[in-house]
Amino acid sequence: MSSATGILRDEHRVILHGLRSLEVAAERLGAGQALPPGLWDEMLGWFRAFADRMHHAKEENLLFPAMIKAGVPPRGGPIDVMLDEHAEGRALLAAMATGTGAERAARARRYVRLLCDHIDKENGLLFPLADAVLDARGDAELRRELATVEAELGDAASLSAAEAAAARFAAALEASSGG
């Protein structure tokens, strides 16, 4: 059985897959090329739903409080940094919905860099810290809470549905490139 941080790492893997497609789409937009109809909005909607409202919410509402309860300081440390980056990501997501193709592309590139760096920090620093401070009981409780969120949100929280969406984005971009 996977640990609570293992579940979140699996979600990171899928988000990174989506980010690769967003990066390709941003390069095309920045070069003045067309994207498949509706793809940009669909991708932004997916990042809002899966990466932010589901994944980041799990971290903010479940993981971070569990870590604080286990003794990690709520201010002046890694939790503060992660919260700031979540907020910055939300602002960039909102900004990517407006502006010229070049402006959207620039914002998307910033978002991709932010989230890739953010995921590296969480996987490499925050999650090992969580694993160190959460005892078996705390991890089991956190896994139950994560499962409850997934059950309540249904497909919006489904790893398989998220993987399928990320694969669809990649396939749509590949098909529209002529290759």
Side-chain angles (χ1 to χ4, degrees):
M1 175 175 284
S2 186
S3 67
T5 58
I7 292 165
L8 297 170
R9 279 186 180 94
D10 286 343
E11 293 171 4
H12 280 171
R13 179 184 46 78
V14 177
I15 292 166
L16 288 168
H17 187 192
L19 288 170
R20 287 190 291 277
S21 292
L22 183 62
E23 190 169 37
V24 169
E27 290 307 314
R28 290 198 192 160
L29 275 182
Q33 299 171 0
L35 296 176
L39 182 65
W40 185 258
D41 290 336
E42 184 182 355
M43 291 174 76
L44 296 186
W46 181 82
F47 280 106
R48 278 187 212 101
F50 185 76
D52 190 37
R53 284 194 299 264
M54 196 278 298
H55 176 78
H56 288 161
K58 283 181 176 178
E59 292 173 346
E60 293 171 4
N61 299 326
L62 302 174
L63 176 65
F64 299 167
M67 291 176 70
I68 292 165
K69 183 179 175 184
V72 175
R75 300 281 177 254
I79 291 173
D80 256 356
V81 172
M82 297 302 107
L83 290 170
D84 288 347
E85 290 178 358
H86 287 180
E88 184 179 351
R90 287 181 187 114
L92 284 168
L93 262 176
M96 283 189 278
T98 62
T100 66
E103 291 167 337
R104 290 177 184 211
R107 294 169 186 147
R109 286 186 204 103
R110 285 179 42 212
Y111 182 77
V112 168
R113 279 192 308 275
L114 173 73
L115 256 61
C116 286
D117 290 347
H118 178 80
I119 287 170
D120 283 347
K121 288 177 205 166
E122 286 186 339
N123 287 347
L125 301 170
L126 187 78
F127 292 170
L129 175 60
D131 291 338
V133 300
L134 295 175
D135 60 15
R137 194 168 117 207
D139 185 70
E141 182 179 329
L142 185 53
R143 280 187 282 114
R144 277 191 302 278
E145 291 171 342
L146 293 172
T148 299
V149 168
E150 291 166 12
E152 288 172 355
L153 294 177
D155 273 352
S158 160
L159 196 61
S160 61
E163 288 171 328
R168 254 192 340 273
F169 303 149
L173 289 163
E174 178 67 23
S176 70
S177 74

